[in-house]
């Protein structure tokens, strides 16, 4: 990773910090520059300035993932790890989640390094999640690491073309303790 790519570490819902490219648990002092290459999720992606954290300027709302900026409608989104589709949401069909846009949640089972069931979440897709053959991703369907699951978009409450990506240890669309943004 010494080629100058922009990379970062990801916080998980449990507070554990994982390397997004491998799922390995990291020491808190691990520099962000050592652990995550956004091009493993979006080939043309770069981590935007809106990262994981709490934003006092927005009423202490929690942004529980990272935003990977990339061109809309042409940037392929790849699965972080293999797993099973746990949920697919279209905010067009489900107005309770209008801020999410098109979304897919993937269950990766228990990740050895985390010691917990781990999910990856992909928000604001350009259209309903689809594989490389154009087939819709369906709940309980299988996905493979590095295979297409969608295309970057600006759906829901997105303010520009990007993929919101997060790792979490719960399957619900929101953690009830957080005020999510």
């Amino acid at each position: 990773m010494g080629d100058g790519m922009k990379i970062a570490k990801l916080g998980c819902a449990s507070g554990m910090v994982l390397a997004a490219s491998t799922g390995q648990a990291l020491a808190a002092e691990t520099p962000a520059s050592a652990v995550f290459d956004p091009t493993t999720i979006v080939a043309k992606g770069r981590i935007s300035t809106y990262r994981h954290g709490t934003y006092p300027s927005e009423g202490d709302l929690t942004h529980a993932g990272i935003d990977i900026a990339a061109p809309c409608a042409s940037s392929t989104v790849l699965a972080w790890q293999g797993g099973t589709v746990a949920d697919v949401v279209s905010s067009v069909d489900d107005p309770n989640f209008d801020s999410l846009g098109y979304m897919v949640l993937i269950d990766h089972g228990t990740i050895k390094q985390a010691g917990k069931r781990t999910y990856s979440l992909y928000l604001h897709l350009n259209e309903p999640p689809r594989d490389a053959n154009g087939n819709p991703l369906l709940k309980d369907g299988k996905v493979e690491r590095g295979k297409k699951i969608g295309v970057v978009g600006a759906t829901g409450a997105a303010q520009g073309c990007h993929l919101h990506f997060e790792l979490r240890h719960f399957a619900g669309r929101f953690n009830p303790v957080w005020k999510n943004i």
Side-chain angles (χ1 to χ4, degrees):
M1 287 192 213
D3 60 4
M5 278 189 228
K6 210 162 183 193
I7 44 189
K9 61 187 175 183
L10 296 176
C12 285
S14 67
M16 176 181 291
V17 176
L18 296 180
S21 59
T22 64
Q24 292 185 300
L26 302 171
E29 65 275 3
T30 302
S33 61
V35 297
F36 179 63
D37 175 1
T39 64
T40 62
I41 308 294
V42 179
K44 301 174 190 173
R46 64 173 175 74
I47 295 175
S48 80
T49 56
Y50 205 55
R51 299 183 183 176
H52 176 84
T54 301
Y55 289 82
S57 65
E58 297 187 30
D60 288 331
L61 295 174
T62 300
H63 186 250
I66 60 168
D67 289 346
I68 301 173
C72 277
S74 64
S75 302
T76 300
V77 176
L78 307 173
W80 168 68
Q81 298 284 332
T84 303
V85 176
D87 200 0
V88 177
V89 170
S90 162
S91 63
V92 172
D93 299 327
D94 189 347
N96 293 315
F97 298 97
D98 60 353
S99 67
L100 305 179
Y102 292 109
M103 173 220 103
V104 63
L105 179 71
I106 300 173
D107 180 350
H108 303 289
T110 301
I111 299 291
K112 179 181 167 190
Q113 295 85 347
K116 295 181 178 183
R117 173 166 259 143
T118 302
Y119 299 83
S120 57
L121 179 67
Y122 310 79
L123 302 179
H124 310 307
L125 298 171
N126 193 58
E127 59 189 13
R130 298 184 182 282
D131 66 19
N133 297 319
N135 300 314
L137 296 184
L138 303 173
K139 191 169 179 175
D140 298 322
K142 300 294 182 197
V143 297
E144 294 179 39
R145 177 184 180 154
K147 297 296 182 181
K148 180 180 178 179
I149 58 170
V151 177
V152 171
T155 59
Q159 296 179 8
C161 298
H162 73 279
L163 173 75
H164 173 95
F165 175 74
E166 55 184 87
L167 296 177
R168 50 171 54 182
H169 298 300
F170 58 91
R173 293 176 184 162
F174 292 105
N175 182 328
V177 188
W178 299 345
K179 297 182 217 169
N180 286 272
I181 55 174

PDB file of all heavy atoms in Angstrom, residues 131-170:
ATOM      1  N   ASP A 131     -26.007  -7.894  -9.238  1.00  0.00           N
ATOM      2  CA  ASP A 131     -24.702  -8.509  -9.460  1.00  0.00           C
ATOM      3  C   ASP A 131     -24.178  -8.131 -10.846  1.00  0.00           C
ATOM      4  O   ASP A 131     -24.822  -7.367 -11.583  1.00  0.00           O
ATOM      5  CB  ASP A 131     -24.767 -10.027  -9.261  1.00  0.00           C
ATOM      6  CG  ASP A 131     -25.627 -10.757 -10.290  1.00  0.00           C
ATOM      7  OD1 ASP A 131     -25.914 -10.209 -11.385  1.00  0.00           O
ATOM      8  OD2 ASP A 131     -26.007 -11.911 -10.002  1.00  0.00           O
ATOM      9  N   ALA A 132     -23.028  -8.662 -11.213  1.00  0.00           N
ATOM     10  CA  ALA A 132     -22.381  -8.321 -12.488  1.00  0.00           C
ATOM     11  C   ALA A 132     -23.211  -8.730 -13.697  1.00  0.00           C
ATOM     12  O   ALA A 132     -23.058  -8.161 -14.782  1.00  0.00           O
ATOM     13  CB  ALA A 132     -20.999  -8.965 -12.559  1.00  0.00           C
ATOM     14  N   ASN A 133     -24.115  -9.700 -13.527  1.00  0.00           N
ATOM     15  CA  ASN A 133     -24.979 -10.134 -14.632  1.00  0.00           C
ATOM     16  C   ASN A 133     -26.290  -9.355 -14.692  1.00  0.00           C
ATOM     17  O   ASN A 133     -27.151  -9.657 -15.505  1.00  0.00           O
ATOM     18  CB  ASN A 133     -25.270 -11.635 -14.513  1.00  0.00           C
ATOM     19  CG  ASN A 133     -24.017 -12.452 -14.633  1.00  0.00           C
ATOM     20  OD1 ASN A 133     -23.151 -12.153 -15.460  1.00  0.00           O
ATOM     21  ND2 ASN A 133     -23.893 -13.480 -13.810  1.00  0.00           N
ATOM     22  N   GLY A 134     -26.464  -8.384 -13.795  1.00  0.00           N
ATOM     23  CA  GLY A 134     -27.684  -7.587 -13.775  1.00  0.00           C
ATOM     24  C   GLY A 134     -28.804  -8.201 -12.962  1.00  0.00           C
ATOM     25  O   GLY A 134     -29.905  -7.666 -12.918  1.00  0.00           O
ATOM     26  N   ASN A 135     -28.534  -9.325 -12.304  1.00  0.00           N
ATOM     27  CA  ASN A 135     -29.555  -9.974 -11.482  1.00  0.00           C
ATOM     28  C   ASN A 135     -29.705  -9.234 -10.155  1.00  0.00           C
ATOM     29  O   ASN A 135     -28.699  -8.878  -9.528  1.00  0.00           O
ATOM     30  CB  ASN A 135     -29.176 -11.430 -11.191  1.00  0.00           C
ATOM     31  CG  ASN A 135     -29.036 -12.230 -12.468  1.00  0.00           C
ATOM     32  OD1 ASN A 135     -29.865 -12.146 -13.348  1.00  0.00           O
ATOM     33  ND2 ASN A 135     -27.955 -12.994 -12.556  1.00  0.00           N
ATOM     34  N   PRO A 136     -30.942  -9.005  -9.708  1.00  0.00           N
ATOM     35  CA  PRO A 136     -31.123  -8.318  -8.428  1.00  0.00           C
ATOM     36  C   PRO A 136     -30.593  -9.158  -7.274  1.00  0.00           C
ATOM     37  O   PRO A 136     -30.707 -10.382  -7.292  1.00  0.00           O
ATOM     38  CB  PRO A 136     -32.638  -8.134  -8.325  1.00  0.00           C
ATOM     39  CG  PRO A 136     -33.241  -9.017  -9.340  1.00  0.00           C
ATOM     40  CD  PRO A 136     -32.203  -9.365 -10.346  1.00  0.00           C
ATOM     41  N   LEU A 137     -29.985  -8.490  -6.296  1.00  0.00           N
ATOM     42  CA  LEU A 137     -29.587  -9.182  -5.073  1.00  0.00           C
ATOM     43  C   LEU A 137     -30.839  -9.376  -4.239  1.00  0.00           C
ATOM     44  O   LEU A 137     -31.615  -8.437  -4.049  1.00  0.00           O
ATOM     45  CB  LEU A 137     -28.559  -8.376  -4.290  1.00  0.00           C
ATOM     46  CG  LEU A 137     -27.212  -8.139  -4.958  1.00  0.00           C
ATOM     47  CD1 LEU A 137     -26.274  -7.412  -3.994  1.00  0.00           C
ATOM     48  CD2 LEU A 137     -26.577  -9.421  -5.435  1.00  0.00           C
ATOM     49  N   LEU A 138     -31.022 -10.582  -3.746  1.00  0.00           N
ATOM     50  CA  LEU A 138     -32.199 -10.908  -2.960  1.00  0.00           C
ATOM     51  C   LEU A 138     -31.803 -11.342  -1.557  1.00  0.00           C
ATOM     52  O   LEU A 138     -30.714 -11.902  -1.355  1.00  0.00           O
ATOM     53  CB  LEU A 138     -32.990 -12.031  -3.633  1.00  0.00           C
ATOM     54  CG  LEU A 138     -33.447 -11.750  -5.067  1.00  0.00           C
ATOM     55  CD1 LEU A 138     -34.070 -12.998  -5.679  1.00  0.00           C
ATOM     56  CD2 LEU A 138     -34.422 -10.582  -5.101  1.00  0.00           C
ATOM     57  N   LYS A 139     -32.678 -11.090  -0.597  1.00  0.00           N
ATOM     58  CA  LYS A 139     -32.423 -11.512   0.778  1.00  0.00           C
ATOM     59  C   LYS A 139     -32.121 -13.004   0.785  1.00  0.00           C
ATOM     60  O   LYS A 139     -32.767 -13.776   0.070  1.00  0.00           O
ATOM     61  CB  LYS A 139     -33.635 -11.188   1.649  1.00  0.00           C
ATOM     62  CG  LYS A 139     -33.363 -11.341   3.108  1.00  0.00           C
ATOM     63  CD  LYS A 139     -34.482 -10.774   3.947  1.00  0.00           C
ATOM     64  CE  LYS A 139     -34.127 -10.989   5.412  1.00  0.00           C
ATOM     65  NZ  LYS A 139     -35.078 -10.387   6.288  1.00  0.00           N
ATOM     66  N   ASP A 140     -31.108 -13.396   1.541  1.00  0.00           N
ATOM     67  CA  ASP A 140     -30.606 -14.758   1.685  1.00  0.00           C
ATOM     68  C   ASP A 140     -29.764 -15.233   0.495  1.00  0.00           C
ATOM     69  O   ASP A 140     -29.289 -16.358   0.492  1.00  0.00           O
ATOM     70  CB  ASP A 140     -31.732 -15.769   1.959  1.00  0.00           C
ATOM     71  CG  ASP A 140     -32.457 -15.475   3.262  1.00  0.00           C
ATOM     72  OD1 ASP A 140     -31.788 -15.068   4.237  1.00  0.00           O
ATOM     73  OD2 ASP A 140     -33.687 -15.631   3.303  1.00  0.00           O
ATOM     74  N   GLY A 141     -29.566 -14.363  -0.496  1.00  0.00           N
ATOM     75  CA  GLY A 141     -28.691 -14.706  -1.614  1.00  0.00           C
ATOM     76  C   GLY A 141     -27.226 -14.602  -1.193  1.00  0.00           C
ATOM     77  O   GLY A 141     -26.885 -13.892  -0.252  1.00  0.00           O
ATOM     78  N   LYS A 142     -26.364 -15.315  -1.874  1.00  0.00           N
ATOM     79  CA  LYS A 142     -24.928 -15.318  -1.566  1.00  0.00           C
ATOM     80  C   LYS A 142     -24.193 -14.293  -2.421  1.00  0.00           C
ATOM     81  O   LYS A 142     -24.545 -14.061  -3.579  1.00  0.00           O
ATOM     82  CB  LYS A 142     -24.328 -16.701  -1.823  1.00  0.00           C
ATOM     83  CG  LYS A 142     -24.951 -17.806  -1.003  1.00  0.00           C
ATOM     84  CD  LYS A 142     -24.663 -17.638   0.457  1.00  0.00           C
ATOM     85  CE  LYS A 142     -25.249 -18.783   1.263  1.00  0.00           C
ATOM     86  NZ  LYS A 142     -25.351 -18.495   2.660  1.00  0.00           N
ATOM     87  N   VAL A 143     -23.168 -13.681  -1.828  1.00  0.00           N
ATOM     88  CA  VAL A 143     -22.271 -12.780  -2.551  1.00  0.00           C
ATOM     89  C   VAL A 143     -20.835 -13.201  -2.253  1.00  0.00           C
ATOM     90  O   VAL A 143     -20.556 -13.784  -1.207  1.00  0.00           O
ATOM     91  CB  VAL A 143     -22.481 -11.291  -2.180  1.00  0.00           C
ATOM     92  CG1 VAL A 143     -23.871 -10.817  -2.558  1.00  0.00           C
ATOM     93  CG2 VAL A 143     -22.231 -11.050  -0.709  1.00  0.00           C
ATOM     94  N   GLU A 144     -19.942 -12.911  -3.178  1.00  0.00           N
ATOM     95  CA  GLU A 144     -18.535 -13.250  -3.005  1.00  0.00           C
ATOM     96  C   GLU A 144     -17.717 -11.980  -2.833  1.00  0.00           C
ATOM     97  O   GLU A 144     -18.046 -10.928  -3.399  1.00  0.00           O
ATOM     98  CB  GLU A 144     -18.020 -14.000  -4.234  1.00  0.00           C
ATOM     99  CG  GLU A 144     -18.652 -15.353  -4.440  1.00  0.00           C
ATOM    100  CD  GLU A 144     -18.112 -16.040  -5.679  1.00  0.00           C
ATOM    101  OE1 GLU A 144     -16.899 -15.934  -5.953  1.00  0.00           O
ATOM    102  OE2 GLU A 144     -18.926 -16.671  -6.379  1.00  0.00           O
ATOM    103  N   ARG A 145     -16.628 -12.106  -2.092  1.00  0.00           N
ATOM    104  CA  ARG A 145     -15.717 -10.982  -1.884  1.00  0.00           C
ATOM    105  C   ARG A 145     -15.240 -10.445  -3.233  1.00  0.00           C
ATOM    106  O   ARG A 145     -14.866 -11.195  -4.123  1.00  0.00           O
ATOM    107  CB  ARG A 145     -14.511 -11.445  -1.071  1.00  0.00           C
ATOM    108  CG  ARG A 145     -13.487 -10.358  -0.886  1.00  0.00           C
ATOM    109  CD  ARG A 145     -12.264 -10.876  -0.176  1.00  0.00           C
ATOM    110  NE  ARG A 145     -11.315  -9.795  -0.012  1.00  0.00           N
ATOM    111  CZ  ARG A 145     -10.407  -9.737   0.925  1.00  0.00           C
ATOM    112  NH1 ARG A 145     -10.304 -10.721   1.788  1.00  0.00           N
ATOM    113  NH2 ARG A 145      -9.597  -8.715   1.000  1.00  0.00           N
ATOM    114  N   GLY A 146     -15.287  -9.107  -3.371  1.00  0.00           N
ATOM    115  CA  GLY A 146     -14.777  -8.458  -4.570  1.00  0.00           C
ATOM    116  C   GLY A 146     -15.680  -8.548  -5.784  1.00  0.00           C
ATOM    117  O   GLY A 146     -15.312  -8.090  -6.857  1.00  0.00           O
ATOM    118  N   LYS A 147     -16.888  -9.102  -5.631  1.00  0.00           N
ATOM    119  CA  LYS A 147     -17.826  -9.197  -6.752  1.00  0.00           C
ATOM    120  C   LYS A 147     -18.820  -8.037  -6.699  1.00  0.00           C
ATOM    121  O   LYS A 147     -19.156  -7.528  -5.637  1.00  0.00           O
ATOM    122  CB  LYS A 147     -18.587 -10.532  -6.710  1.00  0.00           C
ATOM    123  CG  LYS A 147     -17.688 -11.732  -6.855  1.00  0.00           C
ATOM    124  CD  LYS A 147     -17.021 -11.759  -8.209  1.00  0.00           C
ATOM    125  CE  LYS A 147     -16.153 -13.002  -8.338  1.00  0.00           C
ATOM    126  NZ  LYS A 147     -15.457 -13.073  -9.599  1.00  0.00           N
ATOM    127  N   LYS A 148     -19.323  -7.659  -7.850  1.00  0.00           N
ATOM    128  CA  LYS A 148     -20.248  -6.528  -7.962  1.00  0.00           C
ATOM    129  C   LYS A 148     -21.532  -6.767  -7.188  1.00  0.00           C
ATOM    130  O   LYS A 148     -22.142  -7.823  -7.285  1.00  0.00           O
ATOM    131  CB  LYS A 148     -20.588  -6.276  -9.428  1.00  0.00           C
ATOM    132  CG  LYS A 148     -21.538  -5.108  -9.618  1.00  0.00           C
ATOM    133  CD  LYS A 148     -21.871  -4.859 -11.072  1.00  0.00           C
ATOM    134  CE  LYS A 148     -22.860  -3.714 -11.195  1.00  0.00           C
ATOM    135  NZ  LYS A 148     -23.189  -3.422 -12.586  1.00  0.00           N
ATOM    136  N   ILE A 149     -21.930  -5.728  -6.429  1.00  0.00           N
ATOM    137  CA  ILE A 149     -23.209  -5.755  -5.718  1.00  0.00           C
ATOM    138  C   ILE A 149     -24.050  -4.520  -6.028  1.00  0.00           C
ATOM    139  O   ILE A 149     -25.182  -4.416  -5.573  1.00  0.00           O
ATOM    140  CB  ILE A 149     -23.020  -5.891  -4.193  1.00  0.00           C
ATOM    141  CG1 ILE A 149     -22.175  -4.738  -3.651  1.00  0.00           C
ATOM    142  CG2 ILE A 149     -22.423  -7.245  -3.843  1.00  0.00           C
ATOM    143  CD1 ILE A 149     -22.134  -4.671  -2.132  1.00  0.00           C
ATOM    144  N   GLY A 150     -23.508  -3.588  -6.802  1.00  0.00           N
ATOM    145  CA  GLY A 150     -24.257  -2.382  -7.115  1.00  0.00           C
ATOM    146  C   GLY A 150     -23.402  -1.345  -7.811  1.00  0.00           C
ATOM    147  O   GLY A 150     -22.281  -1.630  -8.253  1.00  0.00           O
ATOM    148  N   VAL A 151     -23.954  -0.129  -7.889  1.00  0.00           N
ATOM    149  CA  VAL A 151     -23.299   1.000  -8.548  1.00  0.00           C
ATOM    150  C   VAL A 151     -23.482   2.237  -7.663  1.00  0.00           C
ATOM    151  O   VAL A 151     -24.557   2.450  -7.093  1.00  0.00           O
ATOM    152  CB  VAL A 151     -23.924   1.249  -9.945  1.00  0.00           C
ATOM    153  CG1 VAL A 151     -23.324   2.463 -10.620  1.00  0.00           C
ATOM    154  CG2 VAL A 151     -23.771   0.016 -10.829  1.00  0.00           C
ATOM    155  N   VAL A 152     -22.431   3.033  -7.536  1.00  0.00           N
ATOM    156  CA  VAL A 152     -22.479   4.264  -6.729  1.00  0.00           C
ATOM    157  C   VAL A 152     -23.589   5.182  -7.244  1.00  0.00           C
ATOM    158  O   VAL A 152     -23.785   5.316  -8.458  1.00  0.00           O
ATOM    159  CB  VAL A 152     -21.123   5.002  -6.774  1.00  0.00           C
ATOM    160  CG1 VAL A 152     -21.223   6.392  -6.134  1.00  0.00           C
ATOM    161  CG2 VAL A 152     -20.042   4.176  -6.091  1.00  0.00           C
ATOM    162  N   GLY A 153     -24.291   5.803  -6.311  1.00  0.00           N
ATOM    163  CA  GLY A 153     -25.350   6.724  -6.680  1.00  0.00           C
ATOM    164  C   GLY A 153     -25.424   7.914  -5.736  1.00  0.00           C
ATOM    165  O   GLY A 153     -24.490   8.191  -4.988  1.00  0.00           O
ATOM    166  N   ALA A 154     -26.562   8.578  -5.773  1.00  0.00           N
ATOM    167  CA  ALA A 154     -26.816   9.723  -4.897  1.00  0.00           C
ATOM    168  C   ALA A 154     -28.269   9.664  -4.440  1.00  0.00           C
ATOM    169  O   ALA A 154     -28.951  10.673  -4.375  1.00  0.00           O
ATOM    170  CB  ALA A 154     -26.521  11.027  -5.628  1.00  0.00           C
ATOM    171  N   THR A 155     -28.752   8.459  -4.128  1.00  0.00           N
ATOM    172  CA  THR A 155     -30.145   8.282  -3.733  1.00  0.00           C
ATOM    173  C   THR A 155     -30.332   8.544  -2.241  1.00  0.00           C
ATOM    174  O   THR A 155     -29.375   8.644  -1.488  1.00  0.00           O
ATOM    175  CB  THR A 155     -30.629   6.858  -4.094  1.00  0.00           C
ATOM    176  OG1 THR A 155     -29.813   5.899  -3.423  1.00  0.00           O
ATOM    177  CG2 THR A 155     -30.580   6.625  -5.595  1.00  0.00           C
ATOM    178  N   GLY A 156     -31.580   8.644  -1.835  1.00  0.00           N
ATOM    179  CA  GLY A 156     -31.880   8.940  -0.432  1.00  0.00           C
ATOM    180  C   GLY A 156     -31.464  10.357  -0.094  1.00  0.00           C
ATOM    181  O   GLY A 156     -31.651  11.278  -0.883  1.00  0.00           O
ATOM    182  N   ALA A 157     -30.846  10.521   1.068  1.00  0.00           N
ATOM    183  CA  ALA A 157     -30.443  11.850   1.528  1.00  0.00           C
ATOM    184  C   ALA A 157     -29.013  12.200   1.119  1.00  0.00           C
ATOM    185  O   ALA A 157     -28.430  13.138   1.654  1.00  0.00           O
ATOM    186  CB  ALA A 157     -30.579  11.933   3.047  1.00  0.00           C
ATOM    187  N   ALA A 158     -28.446  11.451   0.189  1.00  0.00           N
ATOM    188  CA  ALA A 158     -27.068  11.725  -0.252  1.00  0.00           C
ATOM    189  C   ALA A 158     -26.974  13.133  -0.821  1.00  0.00           C
ATOM    190  O   ALA A 158     -27.868  13.587  -1.524  1.00  0.00           O
ATOM    191  CB  ALA A 158     -26.634  10.719  -1.303  1.00  0.00           C
ATOM    192  N   GLN A 159     -25.876  13.800  -0.505  1.00  0.00           N
ATOM    193  CA  GLN A 159     -25.634  15.141  -1.038  1.00  0.00           C
ATOM    194  C   GLN A 159     -24.468  15.061  -2.009  1.00  0.00           C
ATOM    195  O   GLN A 159     -23.413  15.635  -1.798  1.00  0.00           O
ATOM    196  CB  GLN A 159     -25.360  16.110   0.099  1.00  0.00           C
ATOM    197  CG  GLN A 159     -26.551  16.266   1.015  1.00  0.00           C
ATOM    198  CD  GLN A 159     -26.276  17.212   2.159  1.00  0.00           C
ATOM    199  OE1 GLN A 159     -25.262  17.873   2.216  1.00  0.00           O
ATOM    200  NE2 GLN A 159     -27.202  17.282   3.083  1.00  0.00           N
ATOM    201  N   GLY A 160     -24.676  14.317  -3.062  1.00  0.00           N
ATOM    202  CA  GLY A 160     -23.634  14.101  -4.058  1.00  0.00           C
ATOM    203  C   GLY A 160     -23.360  12.619  -4.216  1.00  0.00           C
ATOM    204  O   GLY A 160     -23.797  11.786  -3.420  1.00  0.00           O
ATOM    205  N   CYS A 161     -22.633  12.278  -5.262  1.00  0.00           N
ATOM    206  CA  CYS A 161     -22.351  10.886  -5.595  1.00  0.00           C
ATOM    207  C   CYS A 161     -21.350  10.288  -4.622  1.00  0.00           C
ATOM    208  O   CYS A 161     -20.224  10.769  -4.512  1.00  0.00           O
ATOM    209  CB  CYS A 161     -21.782  10.797  -7.008  1.00  0.00           C
ATOM    210  SG  CYS A 161     -22.935  11.383  -8.253  1.00  0.00           S
ATOM    211  N   HIS A 162     -21.773   9.236  -3.921  1.00  0.00           N
ATOM    212  CA  HIS A 162     -20.870   8.518  -3.023  1.00  0.00           C
ATOM    213  C   HIS A 162     -21.522   7.228  -2.557  1.00  0.00           C
ATOM    214  O   HIS A 162     -22.726   7.039  -2.693  1.00  0.00           O
ATOM    215  CB  HIS A 162     -20.481   9.370  -1.813  1.00  0.00           C
ATOM    216  CG  HIS A 162     -21.572   9.548  -0.808  1.00  0.00           C
ATOM    217  ND1 HIS A 162     -22.573  10.480  -0.968  1.00  0.00           N
ATOM    218  CD2 HIS A 162     -21.821   8.915   0.363  1.00  0.00           C
ATOM    219  CE1 HIS A 162     -23.398  10.417   0.076  1.00  0.00           C
ATOM    220  NE2 HIS A 162     -22.957   9.467   0.894  1.00  0.00           N
ATOM    221  N   LEU A 163     -20.704   6.363  -2.003  1.00  0.00           N
ATOM    222  CA  LEU A 163     -21.175   5.164  -1.325  1.00  0.00           C
ATOM    223  C   LEU A 163     -20.934   5.361   0.166  1.00  0.00           C
ATOM    224  O   LEU A 163     -19.812   5.663   0.576  1.00  0.00           O
ATOM    225  CB  LEU A 163     -20.402   3.929  -1.793  1.00  0.00           C
ATOM    226  CG  LEU A 163     -20.715   2.654  -1.001  1.00  0.00           C
ATOM    227  CD1 LEU A 163     -22.076   2.109  -1.393  1.00  0.00           C
ATOM    228  CD2 LEU A 163     -19.629   1.625  -1.184  1.00  0.00           C
ATOM    229  N   HIS A 164     -21.964   5.202   0.973  1.00  0.00           N
ATOM    230  CA  HIS A 164     -21.787   5.169   2.425  1.00  0.00           C
ATOM    231  C   HIS A 164     -21.512   3.711   2.756  1.00  0.00           C
ATOM    232  O   HIS A 164     -22.305   2.827   2.439  1.00  0.00           O
ATOM    233  CB  HIS A 164     -23.054   5.644   3.141  1.00  0.00           C
ATOM    234  CG  HIS A 164     -22.988   5.467   4.621  1.00  0.00           C
ATOM    235  ND1 HIS A 164     -22.592   6.473   5.462  1.00  0.00           N
ATOM    236  CD2 HIS A 164     -23.250   4.389   5.402  1.00  0.00           C
ATOM    237  CE1 HIS A 164     -22.630   6.032   6.716  1.00  0.00           C
ATOM    238  NE2 HIS A 164     -23.012   4.756   6.698  1.00  0.00           N
ATOM    239  N   PHE A 165     -20.365   3.428   3.395  1.00  0.00           N
ATOM    240  CA  PHE A 165     -19.957   2.061   3.728  1.00  0.00           C
ATOM    241  C   PHE A 165     -19.706   1.975   5.226  1.00  0.00           C
ATOM    242  O   PHE A 165     -19.052   2.847   5.799  1.00  0.00           O
ATOM    243  CB  PHE A 165     -18.665   1.715   2.977  1.00  0.00           C
ATOM    244  CG  PHE A 165     -18.087   0.378   3.338  1.00  0.00           C
ATOM    245  CD1 PHE A 165     -18.681  -0.788   2.893  1.00  0.00           C
ATOM    246  CD2 PHE A 165     -16.954   0.300   4.126  1.00  0.00           C
ATOM    247  CE1 PHE A 165     -18.143  -2.027   3.225  1.00  0.00           C
ATOM    248  CE2 PHE A 165     -16.405  -0.932   4.467  1.00  0.00           C
ATOM    249  CZ  PHE A 165     -17.001  -2.099   4.012  1.00  0.00           C
ATOM    250  N   GLU A 166     -20.254   0.936   5.853  1.00  0.00           N
ATOM    251  CA  GLU A 166     -19.953   0.721   7.258  1.00  0.00           C
ATOM    252  C   GLU A 166     -19.867  -0.754   7.586  1.00  0.00           C
ATOM    253  O   GLU A 166     -20.435  -1.591   6.896  1.00  0.00           O
ATOM    254  CB  GLU A 166     -20.922   1.428   8.197  1.00  0.00           C
ATOM    255  CG  GLU A 166     -22.343   1.197   8.080  1.00  0.00           C
ATOM    256  CD  GLU A 166     -23.233   2.020   9.006  1.00  0.00           C
ATOM    257  OE1 GLU A 166     -23.613   3.141   8.654  1.00  0.00           O
ATOM    258  OE2 GLU A 166     -23.585   1.485  10.078  1.00  0.00           O
ATOM    259  N   LEU A 167     -19.114  -1.028   8.654  1.00  0.00           N
ATOM    260  CA  LEU A 167     -19.051  -2.352   9.254  1.00  0.00           C
ATOM    261  C   LEU A 167     -19.773  -2.251  10.585  1.00  0.00           C
ATOM    262  O   LEU A 167     -19.636  -1.262  11.300  1.00  0.00           O
ATOM    263  CB  LEU A 167     -17.595  -2.767   9.497  1.00  0.00           C
ATOM    264  CG  LEU A 167     -16.743  -2.933   8.252  1.00  0.00           C
ATOM    265  CD1 LEU A 167     -15.310  -3.268   8.641  1.00  0.00           C
ATOM    266  CD2 LEU A 167     -17.306  -3.993   7.333  1.00  0.00           C
ATOM    267  N   ARG A 168     -20.552  -3.291  10.912  1.00  0.00           N
ATOM    268  CA  ARG A 168     -21.313  -3.267  12.151  1.00  0.00           C
ATOM    269  C   ARG A 168     -21.483  -4.678  12.680  1.00  0.00           C
ATOM    270  O   ARG A 168     -21.253  -5.634  11.962  1.00  0.00           O
ATOM    271  CB  ARG A 168     -22.654  -2.583  11.942  1.00  0.00           C
ATOM    272  CG  ARG A 168     -23.423  -3.127  10.748  1.00  0.00           C
ATOM    273  CD  ARG A 168     -24.825  -2.647  10.602  1.00  0.00           C
ATOM    274  NE  ARG A 168     -24.954  -1.211  10.597  1.00  0.00           N
ATOM    275  CZ  ARG A 168     -26.112  -0.596  10.509  1.00  0.00           C
ATOM    276  NH1 ARG A 168     -27.218  -1.279  10.376  1.00  0.00           N
ATOM    277  NH2 ARG A 168     -26.173   0.710  10.542  1.00  0.00           N
ATOM    278  N   HIS A 169     -21.925  -4.748  13.941  1.00  0.00           N
ATOM    279  CA  HIS A 169     -22.144  -6.042  14.589  1.00  0.00           C
ATOM    280  C   HIS A 169     -23.614  -6.257  14.934  1.00  0.00           C
ATOM    281  O   HIS A 169     -23.928  -7.003  15.852  1.00  0.00           O
ATOM    282  CB  HIS A 169     -21.272  -6.175  15.838  1.00  0.00           C
ATOM    283  CG  HIS A 169     -19.819  -6.126  15.545  1.00  0.00           C
ATOM    284  ND1 HIS A 169     -19.182  -7.027  14.720  1.00  0.00           N
ATOM    285  CD2 HIS A 169     -18.860  -5.262  15.920  1.00  0.00           C
ATOM    286  CE1 HIS A 169     -17.904  -6.734  14.624  1.00  0.00           C
ATOM    287  NE2 HIS A 169     -17.688  -5.649  15.343  1.00  0.00           N
ATOM    288  N   PHE A 170     -24.502  -5.608  14.233  1.00  0.00           N
ATOM    289  CA  PHE A 170     -25.940  -5.801  14.417  1.00  0.00           C
ATOM    290  C   PHE A 170     -26.590  -5.681  13.054  1.00  0.00           C
ATOM    291  O   PHE A 170     -26.093  -4.991  12.172  1.00  0.00           O
ATOM    292  CB  PHE A 170     -26.528  -4.782  15.406  1.00  0.00           C
ATOM    293  CG  PHE A 170     -26.316  -3.347  14.998  1.00  0.00           C
ATOM    294  CD1 PHE A 170     -27.260  -2.680  14.234  1.00  0.00           C
ATOM    295  CD2 PHE A 170     -25.146  -2.678  15.362  1.00  0.00           C
ATOM    296  CE1 PHE A 170     -27.047  -1.370  13.848  1.00  0.00           C
ATOM    297  CE2 PHE A 170     -24.927  -1.363  14.982  1.00  0.00           C
ATOM    298  CZ  PHE A 170     -25.886  -0.713  14.216  1.00  0.00           C
TER     299      PHE A 170
END
